[in-house]
Amino acid sequence: MSTPTSVTVPGPAVPVRALEIQSRLRLAATWALIKPYWKSEDRKAGLGLLAFVVALNLGIVYINVLLNEWNRVFYNALEQHDYAAFKTLLIRFSWIAAFFIVAAISRQYYTMMLQMRWRTWMTGRFMDHWLGHQAYYRIEQTHATDNPDQRIADDLRSFTDGALTLSLGLLNSVVTLVSFVGILWSVSGPISFALGGGEIVIPGYMVWFAVGYAVIGSLVAHLVGRPLIGLSFQQEQYEADFRFTLVRLRENSEPVALYRGEPTEKAGLGARFGRIRANWNQLMRYTRRLTFVNSGYSQFAIIFPLIVAAPRYFAGKMTLGGLMQMSSAFGQVQGALSWFVDSYSTLVGWKAAANRLIDFQEAIRIAERQDQEHTGVRDIEVVSTDDASIRLDALALALPTPRRSSSAQAALVAPFSLTIAPGERWLVNGPSGCGKSVLVRALAGIWPYGSGTVELPRAARMLFLPQRSYLPIGTLADALAYPDAGTAHSSERLQQVLRETRLGQLTGQLDVLDNWSLRLSPGEQQRLAFARALLQKPDFLVLDEATSALDEDTEAAMYELVVGALPRSAIISVAHRSTVARFHDKRLRYLPADGVDGQGLAPAVSYRVVHEA
């Protein structure tokens, strides 16, 4: 067996144009993402917590004002060798520090509480829309967005945490600026210099120095760091792709081991991690530049006010306490004006998460509107009726084809009509790839591609058994009863259907928590699906190659079981084996289509469907 040296990972690297799009601010869409929670049913609790956190922030700013005044008095006492005042001021500082600690701890605690409330509400909202209208299925069919699990789990957390951190930081900066700009104005005093034979006087000159310093720093930081938004967007995508591939390998460990596919898997994982590393290298370069700007900016800000104020101090126009108060006030004003610079790294990560959520939300909205991009065929209409039968009226099936594509293979099956009445037994067969599973999806009402109408009984229960059934992670009882909860049926009934489907060895494990899709063999999983049908007693049972992993004897036993237990249920089976034909009295056969399109180049449809008794 040859060992592959490289694997091409599907999908090219994100081009420069896409990186520019991902780096856009998209302010209106971001605000539309923020606003709904504050108008929701949870808004009272959220606004109450927000008001309390804001009050704590204002209290901390007030404490900083007290500390600034304390600096002036304290350093003047040191300069005057006033020991009594020194002791009094230390006691005052202890009280101020104690209040500061209590306020800081409370602010952190209640901010985290608000973050979780907001995240909980947004997670519920996204989950409702993602699962509603089966948007999760349609998004996967059209690949409208990548890794929705990561966007719900990680991006929502980053978005809510970052939104509160940044907004409260901005509020704190504004209040700090308002509180300290007057102090800095009065303490710094005017500065005068000769210009053109006259004297220019600038009152509160340190305020203007702080403003100019912050503006220049903000502009430089944005110019240097803006590409980080798009790079952070891509990093989240590549990390999620790599993590998904690892999970998929774990869930398919047995077939990979049987194929001896470890070298190929290792190469594929290495290629995906290579994307992470390449994007990370770009992040490193831009982060290094931004860190250089931020570090230089913050370090020089320490000595900048001392340098500017030094002439007045050494001229005897300012006391040591006044110098320290002015330095402290300048730091507060400059820090408030530098919110953009200091928060830029956080802002970049938050904006990348917001952009990913905006794209995900738009994909969900498109899926909800069934606004899929396909050519030549209108959407299948699904109608709920009071009739007891399933009716297909002029149903034509197609494949999803992008609107820009000129492919003539969008149409798959020519229009046909069919009625499936309760108690009927239908066998659907035809060549592999002809669209039999597409018909199953249309019967389920989840396949919009094509035309015609699917009328489904409103009161009827339908159960679909695909070739590989879905088994949720949980107890065996939950996996057996899905989509019902395991507690919806008695243990005796669950054990009974397990024995009837030749799974008696599992009767003692109903309360065992496990990943049953990995624990059970394909044949056991298919027998578990038949046990599920016995539990739920559907009006319509649709089996899509549901016995492909069973031997003929077990297959016959399963069919005899459901036919006997569900005499009034309609059974529709998609199967290749002729052995299941004796359990059905009607047949739906896929045959190659006759005729060509208008230009005589290719068949207008690939297959036609005929009914046989």
Side-chain angles (χ1 to χ4, degrees):
M1 180 184 295
S2 61
T3 301
T5 57
S6 64
V7 170
T8 302
V9 179
V14 178
V16 174
R17 176 60 179 167
L19 183 61
E20 292 177 355
I21 294 174
Q22 293 164 0
S23 299
R24 290 176 179 173
L25 296 180
R26 303 166 77 175
L27 297 179
T30 304
W31 173 243
L33 204 61
I34 294 173
K35 183 173 59 175
Y37 173 70
W38 306 103
K39 292 185 175 181
S40 71
E41 67 284 354
D42 195 48
R43 64 184 183 278
K44 291 183 179 179
L47 290 172
L49 277 173
L50 180 62
F52 187 58
V53 172
V54 168
L56 289 171
N57 271 276
L58 297 178
I60 289 174
V61 172
Y62 177 70
I63 292 173
N64 286 329
V65 172
L66 296 179
L67 284 173
N68 179 264
E69 175 63 20
W70 181 89
N71 269 328
R72 181 184 66 82
V73 179
F74 181 76
Y75 282 102
N76 281 339
L78 286 179
E79 187 179 33
Q80 297 166 9
H81 303 283
D82 188 344
Y83 182 65
F86 173 80
K87 292 190 294 181
T88 302
L89 288 167
L90 286 180
I91 295 174
R92 183 185 301 174
F93 176 82
S94 300
W95 282 106
I96 295 174
F99 282 118
F100 180 87
I101 292 171
V102 171
I105 293 174
S106 300
R107 178 181 64 177
Q108 180 66 29
Y109 179 81
Y110 288 104
T111 299
M112 292 177 68
M113 182 184 294
L114 179 55
Q115 287 170 347
M116 183 49 67
R117 289 195 74 99
W118 191 4
R119 181 186 175 188
T120 300
W121 185 88
M122 289 198 70
T123 300
R125 182 169 179 262
F126 268 85
M127 291 285 286
D128 288 343
H129 286 282
W130 186 50
L131 295 174
H133 303 282
Q134 297 179 321
Y136 65 94
Y137 172 76
R138 303 184 191 281
I139 288 173
E140 290 301 319
Q141 292 296 312
T142 57
H143 306 286
T145 188
D146 64 273
N147 302 296
D149 52 319
Q150 186 260 356
R151 301 194 188 214
I152 293 174
D154 293 338
D155 290 336
L156 275 175
R157 173 182 52 80
S158 299
F159 177 77
T160 53
D161 293 0
L164 284 176
T165 299
L166 291 167
S167 59
L168 291 175
L170 179 59
L171 172 67
N172 190 70
S173 295
V174 171
V175 176
T176 299
L177 179 64
V178 173
S179 301
F180 281 92
V181 70
I183 297 174
L184 183 60
W185 184 282
S186 60
V187 171
S188 63
I191 187 174
S192 60
F193 55 90
L195 181 65
E199 184 179 22
I200 303 296
V201 178
I202 303 177
Y205 71 101
M206 290 297 293
V207 172
W208 303 112
F209 274 109
V211 171
Y213 191 79
V215 168
I216 293 172
S218 298
L219 290 174
V220 174
H222 183 59
L223 290 174
V224 171
R226 183 180 178 183
L228 286 170
I229 298 176
L231 291 172
S232 297
F233 185 108
Q234 290 178 199
Q235 191 69 21
E236 292 294 330
Q237 176 182 344
Y238 295 154
E239 294 280 4
D241 287 341
F242 181 64
R243 185 167 58 248
F244 174 78
T245 306
L246 290 171
V247 172
R248 190 169 183 273
L249 173 60
R250 189 187 71 188
E251 292 184 344
N252 294 274
S253 56
E254 182 176 337
V256 171
L258 291 173
Y259 276 114
R260 299 293 191 270
E262 295 85 359
T264 300
E265 294 298 323
K266 183 178 180 180
L269 288 168
R272 284 176 169 82
F273 188 78
R275 287 186 175 183
I276 294 175
R277 185 177 58 189
N279 196 75
W280 186 261
N281 287 337
Q282 294 189 67
L283 277 170
M284 287 169 53
R285 286 194 291 271
Y286 282 102
T287 302
R288 180 179 60 186
R289 298 173 188 175
L290 182 61
T291 303
F292 174 78
V293 171
N294 287 347
S295 297
Y297 178 84
S298 58
Q299 291 300 312
F300 187 65
I302 297 174
I303 63 169
F304 181 75
L306 298 176
I307 293 174
V308 176
R312 295 194 69 218
Y313 174 73
F314 287 110
K317 298 180 180 179
M318 182 181 294
T319 64
L320 177 61
L323 177 65
M324 299 309 298
Q325 183 186 26
M326 189 206 65
S327 177
S328 173
F330 180 88
Q332 294 286 351
V333 171
Q334 180 267 331
L337 291 170
S338 302
W339 171 86
F340 185 76
V341 177
D342 297 336
S343 303
Y344 201 85
S345 296
T346 304
L347 185 62
V348 162
W350 175 75
K351 197 66 199 72
N355 286 352
R356 287 176 59 79
L357 288 175
I358 291 167
D359 290 346
F360 182 40
Q361 188 177 60
E362 181 60 26
I364 291 176
R365 287 172 178 168
I366 292 174
E368 288 177 333
R369 294 193 305 263
Q370 296 187 357
D371 188 17
Q372 311 294 343
E373 291 189 353
H374 55 285
T375 59
V377 194
R378 63 182 177 85
D379 285 348
I380 295 172
E381 183 180 7
V382 180
V383 180
S384 295
T385 68
D386 294 325
D387 197 347
S389 301
I390 294 177
R391 301 185 187 278
L392 310 180
D393 184 20
L395 178 66
L397 301 175
L399 299 176
T401 305
R403 196 169 308 201
R404 294 181 296 274
S405 173
S406 59
S407 172
Q409 296 299 317
L412 179 64
V413 178
F416 68 99
S417 298
L418 177 69
T419 298
I420 303 175
E424 293 184 342
R425 310 283 189 257
W426 284 87
L427 176 64
V428 182
N429 58 20
S432 295
C434 65
K436 300 185 297 295
S437 294
V438 173
L439 174 61
V440 170
R441 294 166 189 162
L443 289 174
I446 64 174
W447 190 261
Y449 311 107
S451 61
T453 303
V454 176
E455 297 182 4
L456 300 177
R458 183 179 292 106
R461 180 165 190 173
M462 301 182 68
L463 180 64
F464 293 82
L465 303 186
Q467 185 174 11
R468 184 176 180 181
S469 291
Y470 172 67
L471 301 181
I473 297 175
T475 65
L476 178 60
D478 289 332
L480 176 57
Y482 187 84
D484 297 335
T487 55
H489 306 273
S490 67
S491 297
E492 292 76 15
R493 178 58 179 158
L494 296 177
Q495 292 172 357
Q496 179 186 358
V497 296
L498 286 174
R499 285 191 291 267
E500 289 175 348
T501 53
R502 302 184 179 184
L503 293 171
Q505 74 277 10
L506 298 176
T507 54
Q509 302 184 49
L510 288 173
D511 295 326
V512 176
L513 186 69
D514 207 337
N515 186 348
W516 293 98
S517 62
L518 300 180
R519 174 88 172 267
L520 302 179
S521 69
E524 288 175 323
Q525 293 183 42
Q526 289 189 341
R527 278 178 280 157
L528 190 73
F530 276 88
R532 191 179 285 170
L534 296 179
L535 277 178
Q536 299 186 15
K537 300 183 182 300
D539 299 290
F540 293 87
L541 178 62
V542 184
L543 303 98
D544 186 5
E545 299 287 350
T547 58
S548 59
L550 302 179
D551 60 86
E552 292 186 1
D553 176 66
T554 305
E555 177 185 65
M558 294 301 105
Y559 266 98
E560 289 174 354
L561 191 60
V562 296
V563 168
L566 307 173
R568 297 182 180 179
S569 301
I571 297 178
I572 304 99
S573 297
V574 174
H576 289 288
R577 292 180 183 174
S578 60
T579 52
V580 302
R582 63 189 178 96
F583 299 103
H584 305 80
D585 52 17
K586 297 178 182 294
R587 176 175 295 185
L588 202 65
R589 185 188 295 273
Y590 278 67
L591 298 175
D594 298 325
V596 295
D597 64 7
Q599 298 178 347
L601 298 176
V605 293
S606 300
Y607 296 93
R608 58 189 175 90
V609 176
V610 297
H611 309 171
E612 297 178 356

